[in-house]
Amino acid sequence: MSDHDKIYSTKFQDKIERSALLMFIMSALAVAIGGIVEIVPLFYLDRTMTHLSPDVKGKVDSKEISPIVWQRQPGQSLDDWKPGDGVRPYKPLELAGRDVYIREGCYVCHSQMIRPFRDEKDRYGHYSVSSESMYDHPYQWGSKRTGPDLARVGGKYSDEWHRRHLKYPRNVVPESVMPNYFWLENGKVDAATVVADMNTLNMMPFYPAGYTEADIASAAAAVEGKTELDALIAYLQSLGNHIKFTEGVNYRD
């Protein structure tokens, strides 16, 4: 005797589970609400883009909060920035490389978000904080790791290592399943596209890049003669070295 018509839960739940359309609608609604709950606080909490600053003795005053973005002074160019100075907008060549990264779908196999767990820290470094993605439109957090997380890859390898790895990955990492990207060496960076990107990022409603007229005017010269491979390497080398993290400080408080 079939028990197909028997209800094992509430009538409402049973009705949803028997209808693919209702199940899809309710699932989408649940995911949307969960996403809103996580994202909305980032736009109104004062400490979303700040961190606790330790004093000279290493203690943290909960009332002392300082920004971790680059405090750019009038007249400074992007080249005046040094690793650890704080989060800054991407330089023209890095921005071109980020476009290549997105175009080639690198985010499908590589995440850029280190979670606050010990095993993540031991392998990749300090966990990611929201400020590091403030100029990313769209962000590249991801969750798939066919390849390693790249949030802290900047400075970990030389430019030459990246060049060899991107062109023929298995020459460097024999077990890699990454495609060959040797052909990126033949593609030239389009200066007009980079300038358009910079102007667009200046108009973003949340955390505009703030490129100056001098930044944009010098962009064409900065990418002149550069290949897409050069640009992608520059982008990878920019990841994860903007903030100088202090050991023992909880940047999530």
Side-chain angles (χ1 to χ4, degrees):
M1 182 175 179
S2 174
D3 60 352
H4 178 75
D5 295 328
K6 186 175 180 180
I7 296 176
Y8 290 92
S9 57
T10 64
K11 290 183 178 180
F12 178 68
Q13 181 178 340
D14 186 75
K15 184 177 181 180
I16 292 174
E17 292 178 348
R18 291 173 186 269
S19 170
L21 179 60
L22 280 177
M23 177 63 80
F24 172 78
I25 293 173
M26 296 304 294
S27 297
L29 184 61
V31 171
I33 293 174
I36 291 172
V37 169
E38 289 186 340
I39 294 173
V40 167
L42 298 178
F43 296 109
Y44 69 82
L45 291 178
D46 293 336
R47 298 173 66 166
T48 297
M49 292 297 167
T50 60
H51 78 108
L52 295 176
S53 178
D55 60 23
V56 293
K57 297 181 180 179
K59 296 181 179 180
V60 175
D61 181 356
S62 61
K63 297 180 180 179
E64 181 185 357
I65 303 177
S66 62
I68 56 177
V69 297
W70 181 35
Q71 301 302 299
R72 186 176 185 177
Q73 303 302 314
Q76 281 189 314
S77 70
L78 292 172
D79 291 329
D80 292 322
W81 174 93
K82 296 180 179 59
D85 282 351
V87 180
R88 61 158 171 79
Y90 291 106
K91 296 179 181 179
L93 189 60
E94 296 167 356
L95 193 59
R98 187 174 187 272
D99 286 347
V100 174
Y101 183 94
I102 295 173
R103 185 192 72 196
E104 298 305 323
C106 301
Y107 56 86
V108 175
C109 293
H110 295 281
S111 62
Q112 287 186 31
M113 183 178 66
I114 304 171
R115 303 171 183 89
F117 303 123
R118 181 176 179 179
D119 61 325
E120 297 260 315
K121 178 182 177 182
D122 289 345
R123 182 176 183 184
Y124 298 118
H126 197 283
Y127 58 77
S128 300
V129 295
S130 57
S131 305
E132 294 180 274
S133 301
M134 63 186 293
Y135 297 125
D136 281 346
H137 306 286
Y139 62 79
Q140 298 299 303
W141 296 341
S143 59
K144 188 72 169 66
R145 288 180 179 169
T146 301
D149 185 274
L150 300 180
R152 303 262 177 265
V153 75
K156 187 175 182 179
Y157 306 102
S158 67
D159 287 357
E160 181 57 28
W161 186 96
H162 280 294
R163 188 172 301 277
R164 293 176 58 199
H165 180 251
L166 288 168
K167 290 171 68 175
Y168 302 102
R170 275 154 295 285
N171 286 353
V172 181
V173 184
E175 65 275 16
S176 175
V177 296
M178 178 174 156
N180 298 328
Y181 289 100
F182 58 88
W183 48 270
L184 291 177
E185 202 166 37
N186 299 323
K188 295 295 183 181
V189 174
D190 180 46
T193 299
V194 175
V195 170
D197 283 350
M198 296 173 75
N199 282 317
T200 299
L201 291 172
N202 270 355
M203 296 186 291
M204 297 304 293
F206 299 106
Y207 313 115
Y211 290 118
T212 65
E213 291 183 2
D215 292 335
I216 297 174
S218 63
V223 301
E224 183 179 1
K226 298 296 184 180
T227 67
E228 292 184 331
L229 187 60
D230 294 328
L232 183 53
I233 292 172
Y235 171 65
L236 293 173
Q237 294 288 38
S238 75
L239 298 178
N241 57 12
H242 287 197
I243 302 172
K244 184 177 181 180
F245 290 103
T246 303
E247 188 67 29
V249 175
N250 184 358
Y251 291 88
R252 303 182 75 218
D253 276 348

